[in-house]
Amino acid sequence: MSFSNRFSGKRCAVVDFFHAHDHLMPSIIEYLNILGFEVEVLTTSPNFEELMNLVSGVEARVSILPKNKFRKRTLSKFIEERFGGYRLLDQLKDFDLVFLNTFRADLRATYKAIDAAQNIVGVMHTPILIDSQNVGHMRDTIDAFLGEGGKFFVLGENVADKYGLPYIDPLTYVSPDRRSENGNRKCQDEPMVFCVPGTVKFRGRNYMALADAVSKLSRNGIKGKLLIKILGRQSRRDGMKLRSAIRSLDLEEYFSFVQNSSHAAFYAHVTTSDYILPLLDRGEEDVSAIHYSDMATSSIYLAMGLGVPMVAERDLSRLYRIEDFCIAHESKQLEAGLRRALEEGPEGRHDLVRRQETAVQRRKNVSIQNLESEISQILGE
């Protein structure tokens, strides 16, 4: 599918006061580039240039914002709110469109961006807030955004279905020519690697169910055939609890804990894994349910964007429209999913990857179409 550079010559500022979502911005920038926008990024992420260097053909000018002015409970933020008035955001008036990568209703800076922008859209990561009346001062920011003609996007068709909003799938992370692949393992004796990306938190992800599944498999002759890679920060309390549980079950040989030092290193660990585990099952824990239709889980888009197949609970795979290119298992049956993945030969895995790649391109095109449609209405074109 080709796009017409419909907005050629127009300028868009992609703004994020919350650097934990900076990995989503290359997708947004790519889609806007394809539509013809000249993009400038204003971000609090000090290493954003590193992210941009991982993606070929995505173009944006980058300006780094002083992050202490946007973080909660800092003196710099207090001074800026009381006396500075976020005048550094006055520059947003010079852009045809402002795109908020993370709509933070709790920040005065968001209110300032709404006031300065000619036209504005934003990604709402917690859309349940949009119609809620019990959110205190955040209600004023949401109302101001909607009152100025702002348009919310959400991540994922599953969330869009529930809230009736346009959606984007973030699927651009590392260009194929800059990836390390693990599709053909050098040695058949090497274990199959299952990666769980993200900060270890028991609230939501089913880590104990994973430990239990590996424990059951370990009693059935999988020694040397499986390795679980826990990728991300683990210094918090839940990380320590997980390590303790793994030791008590005598499963240390099946787990590897990797703390990422950069985006490039993080993505390299993902792409050299055989499968990604979203590790979400609302049958295991009620708190996992939020990621089915209310809030997107980035691990699924990361897996798709980096070309790594997944092992996922069946209802989750259906709602995220990934059932055609993942290994799906029934609720509370993660062991069966892992076993099936272990039994898949290289050709079966490659078939999943090929089908996933086809879906990624199709979903990128739909995301661009969704952006084009909504922006056209906002700009009156």
Side-chain angles (χ1 to χ4, degrees), residues 211-283:
D212 182 61
V214 174
S215 179
K216 291 176 181 176
L217 288 170
S218 71
R219 297 193 289 269
N220 290 281
I222 63 156
K223 188 176 180 66
K225 296 180 181 180
L226 172 148
L227 179 67
I228 305 294
K229 184 190 294 183
I230 306 295
L231 176 61
R233 294 190 298 272
Q234 300 112 36
S235 57
R236 297 183 180 183
R237 183 178 59 182
D238 289 348
M240 299 299 292
K241 285 184 177 180
L242 177 60
R243 286 177 179 265
S244 177
I246 289 168
R247 282 194 300 270
S248 68
L249 292 168
D250 195 24
L251 298 175
E252 290 175 286
E253 65 183 295
Y254 298 106
F255 283 82
S256 170
F257 287 82
V258 182
Q259 302 231 28
N260 54 295
S261 57
S262 66
H263 286 97
F266 183 87
Y267 293 155
H269 279 293
V270 172
T271 56
T272 53
S273 299
D274 294 285
Y275 289 93
I276 295 294
L277 301 177
L279 215 57
L280 293 166
D281 184 346
R282 58 189 174 190

Side-chain angles (χ1 to χ4, degrees), residues 113-164:
I114 295 167
D115 184 58
Q118 296 183 51
N119 303 287
I120 192 165
V121 297
V123 177
M124 175 58 93
H125 295 268
T126 51
I128 196 172
L129 295 177
I130 295 174
D131 294 322
S132 176
Q133 298 302 315
N134 191 28
V135 290
H137 72 277
M138 292 192 289
R139 182 74 261 158
D140 294 336
T141 307
I142 294 168
D143 288 343
F145 178 83
L146 296 172
E148 291 294 328
K151 293 276 189 175
F152 283 121
F153 284 85
V154 292
L155 299 182
E157 191 173 1
N158 54 321
V159 181
D161 285 347
K162 180 169 181 177
Y163 290 94

Side-chain angles (χ1 to χ4, degrees), residues 28 31 99 123 153-156 166-170 301 367 370-371:
I28 304 303
Y31 303 162
F99 193 109
V123 177
F153 284 85
V154 292
L155 299 182
Y167 71 93
I168 305 166
D169 285 337
Y301 298 107
S367 294
N370 290 346
L371 276 172

Side-chain angles (χ1 to χ4, degrees), residues 83-97:
F83 307 109
Y86 287 109
R87 285 190 292 271
L88 76 169
L89 298 179
D90 285 339
Q91 61 183 300
L92 296 180
K93 70 180 184 300
D94 299 325
F95 292 87
D96 299 287
L97 180 70

Side-chain angles (χ1 to χ4, degrees), residues 5-216:
N5 286 332
R6 181 169 183 175
F7 305 111
S8 180
K10 294 192 179 296
R11 301 175 66 219
C12 179
V14 177
V15 183
D16 205 340
F17 309 129
F18 185 57
H19 66 274
H21 289 159
D22 59 0
H23 61 286
L24 304 175
M25 284 199 280
S27 297
I28 304 303
I29 297 167
E30 179 186 41
Y31 303 162
L32 291 169
N33 282 165
I34 290 170
L35 290 172
F37 279 102
E38 297 176 15
V39 177
E40 181 165 343
V41 172
L42 284 73
T43 176
T44 58
S45 176
N47 301 315
F48 188 74
E49 290 281 9
E50 178 214 342
L51 267 177
M52 291 293 291
N53 290 336
L54 297 173
V55 185
S56 304
V58 175
E59 298 181 358
R61 179 183 171 189
V62 178
S63 298
I64 306 300
L65 300 172
K67 65 180 181 181
N68 280 345
K69 291 187 177 184
F70 302 92
R71 295 177 64 183
K72 290 183 177 180
R73 295 184 293 276
T74 64
L75 179 60
S76 295
K77 178 175 177 289
F78 175 81
I79 293 172
E80 187 66 30
E81 288 183 347
R82 290 298 182 93
F83 307 109
Y86 287 109
R87 285 190 292 271
L88 76 169
L89 298 179
D90 285 339
Q91 61 183 300
L92 296 180
K93 70 180 184 300
D94 299 325
F95 292 87
D96 299 287
L97 180 70
V98 173
F99 193 109
L100 299 179
N101 187 57
T102 305
F103 186 90
R104 289 286 300 273
D106 59 322
L107 293 180
R108 289 183 183 272
T110 301
Y111 202 99
K112 172 65 177 182
I114 295 167
D115 184 58
Q118 296 183 51
N119 303 287
I120 192 165
V121 297
V123 177
M124 175 58 93
H125 295 268
T126 51
I128 196 172
L129 295 177
I130 295 174
D131 294 322
S132 176
Q133 298 302 315
N134 191 28
V135 290
H137 72 277
M138 292 192 289
R139 182 74 261 158
D140 294 336
T141 307
I142 294 168
D143 288 343
F145 178 83
L146 296 172
E148 291 294 328
K151 293 276 189 175
F152 283 121
F153 284 85
V154 292
L155 299 182
E157 191 173 1
N158 54 321
V159 181
D161 285 347
K162 180 169 181 177
Y163 290 94
L165 294 168
Y167 71 93
I168 305 166
D169 285 337
L171 296 166
T172 299
Y173 300 93
V174 182
S175 296
D177 60 321
R178 303 185 185 187
R179 295 180 194 165
S180 300
E181 301 287 357
N182 196 32
N184 295 301
R185 297 200 301 279
K186 295 179 181 179
C187 177
Q188 289 299 312
D189 293 334
E190 291 182 4
M192 185 169 286
V193 179
F194 297 84
C195 180
V196 184
T199 302
V200 175
K201 290 181 180 178
F202 285 175
R203 184 175 176 81
R205 282 209 177 106
N206 313 127
Y207 287 98
M208 298 313 295
L210 174 61
D212 182 61
V214 174
S215 179
K216 291 176 181 176

